[in-house]
Amino acid sequence: MIRVEVAIAAPLDQSLAYDLADDTPGPWSADQSPVGRRVLVPLGGRSLTGYVLAVLPDEEVAYTVRRVLKVLDRIPLFHENLLPFFRWASTYYHYPLGQVIKTALPAGLAPKSVREILLVDGKNEAMLASFTEQPPEWAVRLAAAGRLSAAESSLVLGRGAARKNIDLLRREGILELQETVSKDAVREKMETCFSLSPDLQDLSATLPDAGEGEGWIEAWCRQAGLSLKLSEKKTLAVLVRLALQSQGIDIPAKELYRLYAGGRKAIPALLAQGLVGQLERRIFRNPFGEPVGLQKRPERLTDEQEEVLSQIVPALAAGKYTTFLLHGITGCGKTEVYLRAAEETLARGRDVLVLVPEIALATQLEEHFLSRFGEAVVLLHSGLTTAERFDQWFLALTGRAKIVIGARSALFAPLKDPGLIVVDEEHDAGFKQDDSFRYHGRDLAVLRGRCHEAVVLLGSATPSVTSSYHARTGKYTLLQMTRRVGERALPSVTIVDLSRKKSGEAKGLFRQELRQALAENLEKGQQSVLLLNRRGFSSVMLCQDCGAPVECLHCRVSLTLHKARKRLICHYCGYTVDHRVICSNCHSTGLLVPVGFGTERVEEEARLLLPEARIARLDSDTAADRRTFLQILKAMRARQIDVLIGTQMIAKGHHFPHVTLVGVVWADGGLNMPDFRAAEKTFQLITQVTGRAGRGEELGRVIIQTMRPDHYAIRFAQQHQYEELYQHELQIRRSPAFPPFVRLVALHIQGEREADVRGTAENIADCCRREARQRKAAIETLGPAPAPLERLKRNYRWQVLLKAANLDDLHLICRYVQENRQGLAVGASRIAIDVDPENMM
């Protein structure tokens, strides 16, 4: 018997102690360390998944220690050296440790006790008769099936009125509640294989021409004194031939049956005679599909690549934690720097972790790393199926894969000894998780590098102001690359003022300069890219009679028209209605007037302007899965697309050497957001998409359409002036103070009753101000105030913003709010703590 520390996959602020007996059920033995394994433990009246963190000293305690019910894993799911990282992340982001680990592991690996509603035999009529009115739907289903599934039971038991009915029927002996433990939602994939008996293996080694016919098998059977049926002889012949081809590797059953269907009937007899053995072998699902294309290793590097690597390689050799910020303009060859640094890391026997802010960029880096490192590479991101992700995770856990590429969740990849952590496009807001465990992938990558004594390489053509500040104040080491590969020139950028319309100019989204440039580019046989960071056809639909917008029933936002689907869709909760909906304000059945625009409308106007052009659109509507995304990229690179239209997913990382024109249809959308980073993000997006032009032999050209041509973010982007943007932002953020001069924490409050949410927000704001005064902490409390998106998914949303130069003071206040959240919350309001918030909406 040992005592173990267990973090529960539940919202508990502390870990718990349990006793683990030598005879505890599960695929393990008492001589193995339980650390890193999942266990099933009792908590209250339920059974939940927990994660063993440590073996505790055997000391007397003043409370009863309960026993572990079951060990769930035959091997640990994470290495012990990841525990300090998990603990720090839990403390920093004020999120329960067990749920941090649950987030880190593949989905579907958290069994728990669940309840099912059972109907006692012969009680159908009694149950239905107990309802004075029409029986509810759940009761009708229960009467027909005799039981409700765990998912159905959970929904029914969560309803107040239904729960009262169920409790009454249980007391009358009509219904029962049965508790079971759910199973893992994902499992290892196994395949049946066959192996030859030792005698047959020896025989196959002496028969190089075994595939020429079956005559040899007749002779062998006579010599061995065996009497086999024809189908059995044919099956053996096929197996021997496959064994020769596979050099003795076990033969999958599906391969045997593909070549000889009669083998299904013959195999049992061959197994019974000991001529063939059978085993189950794990196989791994392949998430890569059709690769975009292999990339050659350049024979020589540019001078700037050599200079940058001359600083990175010694840091890798030293095996000490170092963080570099690689500021390299678009097209300068940052990817090759990542690849060479990875080569050095693998040569020293360590692992490599590569993070990107979105799946689209993972796909771009994937082809480069697969070309260089082959089967050593695995992917981890939400674009994979649950089963694929589970397999990729296991390959990294067992060391069979040495390089992991993925979006922010890949940060938790179970690499045992990462020596290099690359964060590409480190400035991107996609690295921040906006719900539940609200971590920042870039910041945790730096922490994981510190925990593993690894080199962290943050790369971007437009680094975040905060990262640049850290690099210039000594926290990071700054590396710069200012020239494109091949000394190619940056594209020329023209700004078109949308507020000034020439008389006689055609209506539409494209002004004359962009219309003409698109036509000329098509005539030359060159490719064009059009960016609009908003999907759909029209962002608002107004009633023609009363002018009211059509809003989501669950969110206080306008529905977006998706013309091709003839639907109005909420981009926050997914609610959808037919585009011919009746106005909820005046009940008019008249036509709705579209206002605003999205990528779908850009596509429509482009097709009208260039009817002979091959046009494609790339956004989350058209590229919902990885396969479609890859097909569009492949077509673009094969020059089968003349004009590619898309959102921000086309702006970063792509190398299209024949794109010579980029048009930004409307550059102002981001500038209007209630976010102190709005100008910085607009500059980054424009600069990134500008970098898609002129990457081949032809010079590039960019046309930016904007209503605010004199805004500094637009002007600095036009002149490729990052340094000026950085200095301007620093000046603005000094007063009033914003990062990097202070740290921020957002306290989000939400619930279905607006009065409760407002009351909770007021309680929290008062609490924060009071605690700051008592602790004499220099903390500024802003709010409470409704969130800019005041209602989402039926929940009202308020927020309180805390600002302080001293991060420790902020953490003290957050811990106080966390410990007292039950007393601060009104009604069913929920409180979430967001350290270093990225999304201010």
Short mmCIF file of all heavy atoms in Angstrom, two decimals, residues 282-313:
data_model
loop_
_atom_site.label_atom_id
_atom_site.label_comp_id
_atom_site.label_asym_id
_atom_site.label_seq_id
_atom_site.Cartn_x
_atom_site.Cartn_y
_atom_site.Cartn_z
N ARG A 282 -0.68 -3.29 -32.80
CA ARG A 282 -1.20 -1.92 -32.87
C ARG A 282 -0.75 -1.27 -34.17
O ARG A 282 0.40 -1.39 -34.57
CB ARG A 282 -0.71 -1.10 -31.68
CG ARG A 282 -1.26 0.33 -31.73
CD ARG A 282 -0.99 1.14 -30.50
NE ARG A 282 -1.64 2.43 -30.60
CZ ARG A 282 -1.57 3.38 -29.67
NH1 ARG A 282 -0.87 3.16 -28.56
NH2 ARG A 282 -2.19 4.52 -29.84
N ILE A 283 -1.68 -0.57 -34.79
CA ILE A 283 -1.35 0.23 -35.97
C ILE A 283 -1.75 1.68 -35.70
O ILE A 283 -2.59 1.96 -34.84
CB ILE A 283 -2.05 -0.30 -37.23
CG1 ILE A 283 -3.57 -0.29 -37.05
CG2 ILE A 283 -1.54 -1.67 -37.60
CD1 ILE A 283 -4.34 -0.69 -38.29
N PHE A 284 -1.15 2.58 -36.43
CA PHE A 284 -1.35 4.00 -36.18
C PHE A 284 -2.05 4.65 -37.38
O PHE A 284 -1.64 4.45 -38.52
CB PHE A 284 -0.01 4.69 -35.90
CG PHE A 284 0.64 4.20 -34.64
CD1 PHE A 284 1.53 3.14 -34.66
CD2 PHE A 284 0.32 4.77 -33.42
CE1 PHE A 284 2.11 2.67 -33.50
CE2 PHE A 284 0.88 4.31 -32.25
CZ PHE A 284 1.78 3.26 -32.29
N ARG A 285 -3.08 5.40 -37.07
CA ARG A 285 -3.84 6.08 -38.12
C ARG A 285 -2.98 7.20 -38.71
O ARG A 285 -2.30 7.91 -37.98
CB ARG A 285 -5.13 6.65 -37.54
CG ARG A 285 -5.97 5.58 -36.82
CD ARG A 285 -6.90 6.22 -35.81
NE ARG A 285 -7.70 5.27 -35.06
CZ ARG A 285 -7.40 4.81 -33.86
NH1 ARG A 285 -6.29 5.19 -33.25
NH2 ARG A 285 -8.19 3.97 -33.23
N ASN A 286 -3.04 7.37 -40.02
CA ASN A 286 -2.22 8.36 -40.71
C ASN A 286 -3.01 9.64 -40.93
O ASN A 286 -3.98 9.65 -41.69
CB ASN A 286 -1.75 7.80 -42.05
CG ASN A 286 -0.90 8.81 -42.82
OD1 ASN A 286 -0.42 9.78 -42.27
ND2 ASN A 286 -0.73 8.57 -44.10
N PRO A 287 -2.62 10.76 -40.29
CA PRO A 287 -3.38 12.00 -40.45
C PRO A 287 -2.91 12.87 -41.61
O PRO A 287 -3.49 13.91 -41.87
CB PRO A 287 -3.10 12.72 -39.12
CG PRO A 287 -1.68 12.34 -38.82
CD PRO A 287 -1.53 10.91 -39.32
N PHE A 288 -1.84 12.47 -42.28
CA PHE A 288 -1.23 13.38 -43.25
C PHE A 288 -1.98 13.46 -44.57
O PHE A 288 -2.01 14.50 -45.20
CB PHE A 288 0.23 12.98 -43.51
CG PHE A 288 1.11 13.16 -42.32
CD1 PHE A 288 1.48 12.09 -41.54
CD2 PHE A 288 1.54 14.42 -41.96
CE1 PHE A 288 2.27 12.25 -40.42
CE2 PHE A 288 2.34 14.60 -40.84
CZ PHE A 288 2.71 13.52 -40.07
N GLY A 289 -2.62 12.36 -44.99
CA GLY A 289 -3.32 12.39 -46.26
C GLY A 289 -2.35 12.62 -47.40
O GLY A 289 -1.21 12.19 -47.38
N GLU A 290 -2.81 13.36 -48.39
CA GLU A 290 -1.97 13.65 -49.55
C GLU A 290 -1.10 14.87 -49.26
O GLU A 290 -1.62 15.96 -49.02
CB GLU A 290 -2.85 13.93 -50.78
CG GLU A 290 -2.04 14.20 -52.03
CD GLU A 290 -2.94 14.57 -53.20
OE1 GLU A 290 -4.17 14.54 -53.04
OE2 GLU A 290 -2.40 14.90 -54.27
N PRO A 291 0.22 14.71 -49.24
CA PRO A 291 1.07 15.86 -48.94
C PRO A 291 1.02 16.91 -50.04
O PRO A 291 0.77 16.60 -51.21
CB PRO A 291 2.48 15.25 -48.84
CG PRO A 291 2.41 13.99 -49.64
CD PRO A 291 1.00 13.49 -49.49
N VAL A 292 1.24 18.17 -49.64
CA VAL A 292 1.22 19.26 -50.62
C VAL A 292 2.36 19.12 -51.60
O VAL A 292 2.23 19.38 -52.78
CB VAL A 292 1.28 20.63 -49.89
CG1 VAL A 292 1.36 21.75 -50.90
CG2 VAL A 292 0.06 20.79 -49.01
N GLY A 293 3.49 18.70 -51.16
CA GLY A 293 4.66 18.55 -52.04
C GLY A 293 5.93 18.58 -51.22
O GLY A 293 6.00 19.22 -50.18
N LEU A 294 6.94 17.87 -51.69
CA LEU A 294 8.20 17.80 -50.98
C LEU A 294 9.08 18.99 -51.33
O LEU A 294 9.07 19.50 -52.46
CB LEU A 294 8.92 16.49 -51.31
CG LEU A 294 8.15 15.22 -50.92
CD1 LEU A 294 8.97 13.99 -51.28
CD2 LEU A 294 7.82 15.21 -49.44
N GLN A 295 9.85 19.43 -50.35
CA GLN A 295 10.70 20.61 -50.51
C GLN A 295 12.17 20.20 -50.46
O GLN A 295 12.57 19.43 -49.60
CB GLN A 295 10.41 21.62 -49.39
CG GLN A 295 8.96 22.05 -49.30
CD GLN A 295 8.53 22.87 -50.50
OE1 GLN A 295 9.28 23.69 -51.00
NE2 GLN A 295 7.31 22.63 -50.97
N LYS A 296 12.96 20.74 -51.37
CA LYS A 296 14.38 20.42 -51.41
C LYS A 296 15.14 21.23 -50.36
O LYS A 296 14.78 22.36 -50.05
CB LYS A 296 14.96 20.72 -52.79
CG LYS A 296 14.45 19.80 -53.89
CD LYS A 296 15.13 20.12 -55.21
CE LYS A 296 14.64 19.17 -56.31
NZ LYS A 296 15.27 19.48 -57.62
N ARG A 297 16.18 20.65 -49.85
CA ARG A 297 17.06 21.34 -48.91
C ARG A 297 17.99 22.26 -49.69
O ARG A 297 18.71 21.81 -50.58
CB ARG A 297 17.89 20.32 -48.11
CG ARG A 297 18.71 20.90 -46.97
CD ARG A 297 19.44 19.76 -46.27
NE ARG A 297 20.03 20.16 -45.01
CZ ARG A 297 21.27 20.64 -44.87
NH1 ARG A 297 22.04 20.79 -45.94
NH2 ARG A 297 21.72 20.97 -43.68
N PRO A 298 17.97 23.56 -49.42
CA PRO A 298 18.85 24.48 -50.18
C PRO A 298 20.31 24.15 -49.96
O PRO A 298 20.73 23.78 -48.85
CB PRO A 298 18.48 25.86 -49.63
CG PRO A 298 17.84 25.61 -48.31
CD PRO A 298 17.17 24.28 -48.40
N GLU A 299 21.09 24.26 -51.02
CA GLU A 299 22.51 23.92 -50.92
C GLU A 299 23.28 24.91 -50.06
O GLU A 299 24.24 24.55 -49.39
CB GLU A 299 23.12 23.85 -52.33
CG GLU A 299 22.53 22.72 -53.18
CD GLU A 299 23.18 22.66 -54.54
OE1 GLU A 299 24.11 23.47 -54.81
OE2 GLU A 299 22.79 21.80 -55.35
N ARG A 300 22.88 26.16 -50.11
CA ARG A 300 23.57 27.16 -49.29
C ARG A 300 22.56 28.12 -48.66
O ARG A 300 21.46 28.31 -49.18
CB ARG A 300 24.60 27.94 -50.10
CG ARG A 300 24.03 28.77 -51.24
CD ARG A 300 25.13 29.49 -52.00
NE ARG A 300 25.91 30.36 -51.14
CZ ARG A 300 25.56 31.61 -50.86
NH1 ARG A 300 24.45 32.14 -51.36
NH2 ARG A 300 26.33 32.35 -50.07
N LEU A 301 22.95 28.67 -47.54
CA LEU A 301 22.11 29.62 -46.83
C LEU A 301 22.48 31.05 -47.21
O LEU A 301 23.57 31.32 -47.71
CB LEU A 301 22.29 29.44 -45.32
CG LEU A 301 21.91 28.06 -44.74
CD1 LEU A 301 22.26 28.00 -43.27
CD2 LEU A 301 20.44 27.76 -44.96
N THR A 302 21.55 31.97 -46.94
CA THR A 302 21.88 33.38 -47.12
C THR A 302 22.80 33.82 -45.99
O THR A 302 22.93 33.15 -44.95
CB THR A 302 20.61 34.25 -47.11
OG1 THR A 302 20.04 34.20 -45.79
CG2 THR A 302 19.60 33.75 -48.11
N ASP A 303 23.45 34.96 -46.18
CA ASP A 303 24.35 35.47 -45.14
C ASP A 303 23.59 35.71 -43.83
O ASP A 303 24.11 35.45 -42.74
CB ASP A 303 25.01 36.77 -45.61
CG ASP A 303 25.98 36.54 -46.75
OD1 ASP A 303 26.39 35.37 -46.95
OD2 ASP A 303 26.31 37.50 -47.47
N GLU A 304 22.35 36.22 -43.94
CA GLU A 304 21.58 36.49 -42.72
C GLU A 304 21.16 35.19 -42.03
O GLU A 304 21.17 35.12 -40.79
CB GLU A 304 20.34 37.32 -43.06
CG GLU A 304 20.66 38.78 -43.37
CD GLU A 304 19.43 39.64 -43.45
OE1 GLU A 304 18.36 39.12 -43.83
OE2 GLU A 304 19.51 40.84 -43.12
N GLN A 305 20.82 34.17 -42.80
CA GLN A 305 20.50 32.88 -42.19
C GLN A 305 21.71 32.32 -41.45
O GLN A 305 21.60 31.79 -40.34
CB GLN A 305 20.01 31.90 -43.25
CG GLN A 305 18.61 32.20 -43.78
CD GLN A 305 18.23 31.33 -44.96
OE1 GLN A 305 19.09 30.92 -45.75
NE2 GLN A 305 16.95 31.07 -45.12
N GLU A 306 22.88 32.43 -42.08
CA GLU A 306 24.11 31.96 -41.44
C GLU A 306 24.37 32.73 -40.14
O GLU A 306 24.74 32.14 -39.12
CB GLU A 306 25.30 32.13 -42.39
CG GLU A 306 25.27 31.25 -43.62
CD GLU A 306 25.81 29.86 -43.35
OE1 GLU A 306 26.00 29.51 -42.18
OE2 GLU A 306 26.01 29.11 -44.33
N GLU A 307 24.16 34.03 -40.18
CA GLU A 307 24.43 34.87 -39.00
C GLU A 307 23.49 34.51 -37.86
O GLU A 307 23.91 34.40 -36.69
CB GLU A 307 24.26 36.34 -39.39
CG GLU A 307 24.34 37.32 -38.22
CD GLU A 307 25.67 37.26 -37.47
OE1 GLU A 307 26.69 36.92 -38.10
OE2 GLU A 307 25.67 37.57 -36.26
N VAL A 308 22.23 34.33 -38.18
CA VAL A 308 21.25 33.98 -37.15
C VAL A 308 21.57 32.62 -36.54
O VAL A 308 21.56 32.43 -35.31
CB VAL A 308 19.82 34.00 -37.75
CG1 VAL A 308 18.84 33.29 -36.84
CG2 VAL A 308 19.36 35.43 -38.00
N LEU A 309 21.87 31.63 -37.39
CA LEU A 309 22.19 30.30 -36.89
C LEU A 309 23.48 30.27 -36.08
O LEU A 309 23.65 29.43 -35.20
CB LEU A 309 22.27 29.31 -38.05
CG LEU A 309 20.92 28.90 -38.64
CD1 LEU A 309 21.08 28.20 -39.98
CD2 LEU A 309 20.16 28.00 -37.67
N SER A 310 24.39 31.20 -36.37
CA SER A 310 25.65 31.24 -35.61
C SER A 310 25.41 31.60 -34.15
O SER A 310 26.27 31.37 -33.30
CB SER A 310 26.61 32.25 -36.24
OG SER A 310 26.17 33.58 -36.04
N GLN A 311 24.23 32.17 -33.84
CA GLN A 311 23.89 32.47 -32.45
C GLN A 311 22.99 31.37 -31.85
O GLN A 311 23.07 31.10 -30.65
CB GLN A 311 23.18 33.82 -32.37
CG GLN A 311 24.05 34.98 -32.84
CD GLN A 311 23.38 36.33 -32.62
OE1 GLN A 311 23.07 36.70 -31.48
NE2 GLN A 311 23.12 37.05 -33.69
N ILE A 312 22.16 30.76 -32.69
CA ILE A 312 21.24 29.74 -32.19
C ILE A 312 21.97 28.43 -31.90
O ILE A 312 21.75 27.79 -30.85
CB ILE A 312 20.10 29.50 -33.20
CG1 ILE A 312 19.26 30.77 -33.36
CG2 ILE A 312 19.22 28.32 -32.77
CD1 ILE A 312 18.21 30.69 -34.45
N VAL A 313 22.84 27.99 -32.81
CA VAL A 313 23.51 26.70 -32.67
C VAL A 313 24.34 26.60 -31.38
O VAL A 313 24.26 25.59 -30.66
CB VAL A 313 24.37 26.40 -33.91
CG1 VAL A 313 25.24 25.16 -33.69
CG2 VAL A 313 23.46 26.19 -35.13
#
